[in-house]
Structure formats: structure tokens, C-alpha cells
Amino acid sequence: MAVPQTHDEAVTAAHQLAEVLLPGAIQRDRDGADVVPHEAIAALDASGLLGITVPVADGGPGLGPRTLAETTRIIAAADPAIAQIPQGHFLIVDVLVLHGGPEARKRILGDVLAGRRLGNALAERGGKHAQDLKTRITGGRLDGVKFYTTGALTSAWIAVSALDETGRLVLALVERHAEGVEVGTDWDMVGQRATISGTATFRQVPVEPGLRIDYAHAYEVPQQLGARAQLVHTAIEVGIAGAALRDARAYLREKARPSTEAVRHGATAATDDPHVRHRYGRLATRVRAAEALLESSGRTLEEVGLTPADAQAAARGSLAVAAAKAFGSEVAVEAGSELFTLCGTSSAAAKYGLDRHWRNARTHSVHDPIDYKYTHIAAYDLADELPPNHGQL
């Protein structure tokens, strides 16, 4: 396994991985958490792409957000569930680069460059809100229950958010197979089913002092951790949109029949129908606009850098990604639904698996409310209000 050293090498590796993933995407969606997609995940881990954002100083190529966004989009167009598995991985790499000590950087980032993936255990159920955490670190031991643990089941390390003895937010890195760590496959969602993002339980898991990070501090200063994490989510949505458009085009050209009304007006193929052409053209334009926003937001993050100069610079990056994420999510859901309007009744047959695009987009798009993204964009433009400095924008 070799880590791609340039943007073009990374894009080529992403296309190669996508070619491996696409043929099995429908079956993996059908299997859901009942069958862990070991072969697909192994192909991801062996692609070298896990190490592309590791800085040069740590032995990596130091490729930036533009490369991360494009490679994620390419993979997501083949299988967005597999594309989502390393989303938390890239966030944790960034956290380690900015806030990890020498021991953590050398040990964990070295593993990343060797193809070992980082899983996440950040979210919990049952609290009054998403940050109402019950997981605790006391006396160097970790206890808690996490959900939406994307990538954790098959990872080498798991990054776990918890409150310490003083109630401060920390991030603990523990080995996946450490004593006291259990990761389940109780993931049952309508879409993104092959992420296997089930429940993880931590019982008296030892946490080495050098692998414990003051995570609260990461959001007490101007940061782009949230924007970079959201950029990957955006790329997944845009990838889904592109996949729906790709499959609609193929079905229209190869399988669809013109409607009775279209035949009455002289159409001999579904692609002759002026209404199909109008809807397809409109959808294609919106998908391409979403792709352009994704690419533009990636370039903005590269200009801002992982460490923003100030709060204004951080806002610029966060709002650029917020716009791309909000619009990309809308277009992905629209494309997943509109393809049936374009292709007709037979396209809804289960054998084609076209419904997965809408289910994937709908499930993934509700990770965080897009209405708030639009609100923060407006507040900045109209009232000079800086957006919140957290990880969901």
C-alpha cells in the first residue's frame, strides 16, 4: 500500500477504489448490518487514501481539503456508505495534528500511514441534546455507551468523546480490541446501511495519558475542524446526487419507454420526451452546481488553512462549507426522488436498487439541520454575525 503523494495520484486511487466498490453496492445496501462488508472496507484501507491528509512533517503527503473532497465524492458516487466510514477518521487526524502530543502523533499517525483506520465514538443517545454526554473518564478509565460509531467496528483505534473528572470535554484514543471495548452491529436505518454504525460500549477501558486530548480547547479557538469534517459530509451528499443522475441517464437511454402521452406527441423513445429532457436538464444543472460548490468550498478551506488566522477567517471557511452542504443535501434528496419521475414505474423495481439513492441521501442529510446553515449564512451577510464555533457547521 502506497499513500498517494499528489492530488492527481489521490484522484486516480479514488477512481480505482470506486471501480471495485460499485459492482457490489446494491448487495451491500440490501445486506445492511447483517453482513459486515469486510472486502469493501479492506479495499478502502488498502487504497492508501487514509493517509492523504497526514502532514509532511509526520511522514505524509499533506494533501488538503480539495483533494479530500474530490476523492470522497468519487468514492461516494460508487458507494456512499463505504465513503462515510472514514469520515471520522479524517477528523481525528486533524485533531491529532493540531492538539495531539508528540507521542500520539508519532504512534497514531504512523498507524494511519500504514493503512490502519481510526473509528469514532462521539455521539450518544438519550440525552437532552447531542452534547449532553454521559460517557466519563475517571482515574484514567473510560466508561460509556456510544451510538452512530461509524467505522469503529473494523478500525484499529477508536476516538471516544467523554467528560473528565472536572466535566471538561476530552477525546480518548483507545485500541479497538482493548479489554472492555465492545462494538455491535445494531445499525438499522433506511439508508447508509453498510456503514455499520452501531452501538459501542466502553467498560473500565484504560486510557493512556498521552492518548487523551483536551477536545474542549479545540473549539475555544478559531478552528476549521468542523468545516473540514462537514466538507466530507458534503462530498458524500454530492456523490450521491451524481450517482442518482448517472443511473437515471443510463436507465433513460437503455431501458425506459416513452409515456403514452409522449408517444401521442411523436416521441419514439423516453429520451425524446421534451418533459423528460427539461427535468433531466434541470437536475443535471443542479447536480453540477452542487459539484462546483463542493470544489469551491474545498479551495476556500485550503486558503484558510487548518489553523485560521482569526475568527473572520474561520467564519469564511465554515460558511463556504455550510452553503455547499445545505445545497448539496437538497440536491441529493431531489435527485434520488426525481430519477423515478424521469424513468417511470418500472424503474422502481427492487432488482434495480435505484431507491438506495434517495434512502442514502435522506438518511445522511439529516446529520445536522440545513436550515441553520442557511440562517448562519444570512446572519453573517445581513448583520455581520459570526457563525458558531462548533463542529456541525
Side-chain angles (χ1 to χ4, degrees):
M1 180 212 73
V3 176
Q5 298 297 300
T6 68
H7 175 83
D8 289 345
E9 287 181 6
V11 168
T12 297
H15 279 299
Q16 291 171 342
L17 176 59
E19 289 177 5
V20 172
L21 295 177
L22 183 57
I26 292 175
Q27 189 58 51
R28 286 191 294 272
D29 172 70
R30 289 172 178 161
D31 290 339
D34 293 334
V35 179
V36 178
H38 287 295
E39 290 186 6
I41 294 172
L44 167 69
D45 293 349
S47 69
L49 292 167
L50 297 177
I52 60 174
T53 62
V54 175
V56 173
D58 294 289
L63 300 179
R66 182 174 69 95
T67 304
L68 179 58
E70 181 61 5
T71 53
T72 301
R73 183 193 67 79
I74 291 165
I75 299 166
D79 190 331
I82 302 302
Q84 191 175 342
I85 284 174
Q87 189 274 335
H89 166 95
F90 290 110
L91 167 62
I92 304 309
V93 168
D94 284 347
V95 173
L96 283 166
V97 169
L98 288 177
H99 303 288
E103 176 188 351
R105 287 181 67 144
K106 181 178 180 180
R107 186 172 173 186
I108 306 298
L109 295 182
D111 275 356
V112 167
L113 291 172
R116 303 187 77 203
R117 186 168 24 81
L118 313 180
N120 89 86
L122 305 179
E124 297 184 10
R125 281 179 161 179
K128 295 179 180 179
H129 51 79
Q131 300 305 315
D132 183 16
L133 302 183
K134 301 296 186 290
T135 301
R136 296 288 189 274
I137 292 181
T138 305
R141 300 269 174 173
L142 176 69
D143 287 280
V145 179
K146 296 288 188 172
F147 200 64
Y148 305 119
T149 59
T150 304
L153 180 68
T154 57
S155 67
W157 296 88
I158 305 176
V160 188
S161 60
L163 300 182
D164 69 7
E165 297 86 347
T166 68
R168 189 166 177 82
L169 181 66
V170 296
L171 197 66
L173 287 151
V174 299
E175 293 189 82
R176 158 67 181 91
H177 294 289
E179 185 177 353
V181 177
E182 296 179 8
V183 184
T185 57
D186 56 332
W187 176 248
D188 184 22
M189 296 289 176
V190 298
Q192 294 295 84
R193 303 183 69 219
T195 62
I196 321 294
S197 305
T199 299
T201 304
F202 304 88
R203 296 187 180 92
Q204 287 290 291
V205 180
V207 179
E208 298 179 35
L211 300 182
R212 174 170 162 171
I213 296 171
D214 183 0
Y215 198 37
H217 177 65
Y219 299 97
E220 292 172 342
V221 295
Q223 52 79 31
Q224 291 289 264
L225 294 172
R228 286 166 69 107
Q230 288 294 311
L231 183 72
V232 177
H233 282 307
T234 304
I236 292 168
E237 291 290 342
V238 175
I240 294 171
L245 183 70
R246 173 199 68 213
D247 288 355
R249 179 179 185 274
Y251 193 94
L252 285 167
R253 290 170 65 95
E254 299 165 11
K255 294 182 174 69
R257 298 184 301 175
S259 69
T260 301
E261 283 298 309
V263 171
R264 288 182 62 242
H265 287 83
T268 59
T271 52
D272 295 335
D273 187 333
H275 299 293
V276 168
R277 290 187 173 187
H278 171 78
R279 282 181 173 269
Y280 181 90
R282 181 179 181 277
L283 183 61
T285 300
R286 288 171 62 76
V287 171
R288 288 163 190 162
E291 292 171 348
L293 269 177
L294 172 67
E295 199 272 344
S296 175
S297 63
R299 287 186 181 276
T300 298
L301 291 193
E302 293 209 344
E303 293 169 3
V304 171
L306 184 54
T307 304
D310 52 32
Q312 289 289 340
R316 179 175 170 237
S318 294
L319 293 172
V321 176
K325 175 64 163 58
F327 184 71
S329 296
E330 290 179 345
V331 173
V333 172
E334 176 188 4
S337 177
E338 187 73 358
L339 73 85
F340 294 107
T341 301
L342 288 165
C343 296
T345 305
S346 294
S347 64
K351 63 181 179 180
Y352 297 125
L354 295 176
D355 60 304
R356 75 188 189 281
H357 298 307
W358 182 87
R359 289 186 291 101
N360 287 334
R362 186 69 284 176
T363 300
H364 184 265
S365 65
V366 294
H367 271 68
D368 43 88
I370 64 174
D371 285 354
Y372 278 94
K373 297 181 187 299
Y374 286 131
T375 299
H376 292 312
I377 291 167
Y380 184 80
D381 280 1
L382 298 177
D384 298 321
E385 293 179 13
L386 292 176
N389 192 41
H390 58 51
Q392 283 72 53
L393 187 63

